[in-house]
Amino acid sequence: MKIYTKTGDSGKTSLLGGTKVFKNNPRIEAYGTVDELNSYIGLLSDFSNDDNAKSILKEIQDRLFTIGAELACDPDKNSKMPLPDLHESDIEFLEKEIDKMQEELPVMKNFILPGGHPAVSFAHVARCVCRRAERCTVNLQENSGAVDQLIIKYLNRLSDYLFVLARYLGMKNNAPEIIWKARM
């Protein structure tokens, strides 16, 4: 099977279920951004030296594939393909991991700038892409109403997780947080 189909040459692509839409459709934008996020999570994992974080990031990548598949479906058609579901327990898992890391972190008293260590920087990039994926998904919901609310909730919590993970990886790598000093 060839990787290229030439069906996208006219600026259209197919959703799961067969419906053709333009590539700038909010549904394509949403799942494309989730795919981008998944790639950054992989990059973050490659730069992390924390085995627990790597394991959790792998789980997150799996959930992002689930989210991407759901967003890629035409909500008005049956995809004829069984898809895994996102569960409230996936969000609770992120919350528990956030709480565990925060137990070890000093209380944050200032705004911090991204940077200080490659893993920290990649965690912040992933956090920003996650926020964009969340905005794209909210936009899709507002335009069609066909988005599971758990997806938006998961992406929101994931961005929180990535922020705390950035701080945690900085601490584990002895990288001091870069305090934002506002110009006055």
Side-chain angles (χ1 to χ4, degrees):
M1 183 171 132
K2 293 185 179 185
I3 190 69
Y4 56 90
T5 62
K6 300 183 184 182
T7 59
D9 293 352
S10 64
K12 287 191 169 187
T13 191
S14 295
L15 298 174
L16 293 177
T19 304
K20 293 224 184 268
V21 296
F22 282 103
K23 291 185 177 188
N24 65 347
N25 181 290
R27 187 163 293 283
I28 305 304
E29 192 67 35
Y31 81 71
T33 305
V34 168
D35 186 37
E36 180 184 355
L37 170 60
N38 207 334
S39 296
Y40 275 112
I41 296 290
L43 187 61
L44 168 58
S45 180
D46 288 345
F47 276 87
S48 175
N49 56 5
D50 185 280
D51 289 337
N52 186 55
K54 283 177 173 284
S55 175
I56 292 165
L57 291 170
K58 189 73 70 195
E59 284 293 318
I60 289 168
Q61 286 186 296
D62 184 77
R63 296 303 93 74
L64 291 174
F65 256 89
T66 297
I67 290 169
E70 186 165 331
L71 291 173
C73 286
D74 182 337
D76 298 324
K77 290 189 175 177
N78 184 348
S79 72
K80 298 177 185 169
M81 187 168 118
L83 297 173
D85 290 330
L86 195 62
H87 301 283
E88 187 69 35
S89 60
D90 296 318
I91 295 159
E92 292 166 1
F93 174 76
L94 291 176
E95 291 171 346
K96 286 177 186 171
E97 291 303 318
I98 290 168
D99 293 344
K100 280 189 222 175
M101 289 185 290
Q102 283 192 300
E103 286 176 9
E104 293 186 48
L105 288 168
V107 174
M108 199 169 97
K109 298 178 182 175
N110 302 288
F111 287 108
I112 57 172
L113 299 175
H117 186 276
V120 172
S121 297
F122 284 121
H124 281 292
V125 169
R127 173 187 56 80
C128 292
V129 175
C130 187
R131 286 288 187 204
R132 181 162 34 93
E134 181 184 9
R135 290 190 306 272
C136 289
T137 305
V138 168
N139 181 54
L140 173 61
Q141 183 184 50
E142 285 184 3
N143 285 302
S144 72
V147 174
D148 184 341
Q149 192 61 34
L150 272 179
I151 290 174
I152 294 169
K153 191 174 178 181
Y154 184 86
L155 292 172
N156 183 274
R157 205 68 79 253
L158 178 56
S159 64
D160 295 335
Y161 170 81
L162 292 167
F163 177 78
V164 175
L165 180 62
R167 292 191 68 218
Y168 184 80
L169 291 174
M171 181 188 74
K172 289 293 185 183
N173 286 288
N174 297 313
E177 292 184 330
I178 304 167
I179 304 301
W180 177 53
K181 295 177 185 159
R183 181 174 53 180
M184 298 293 175

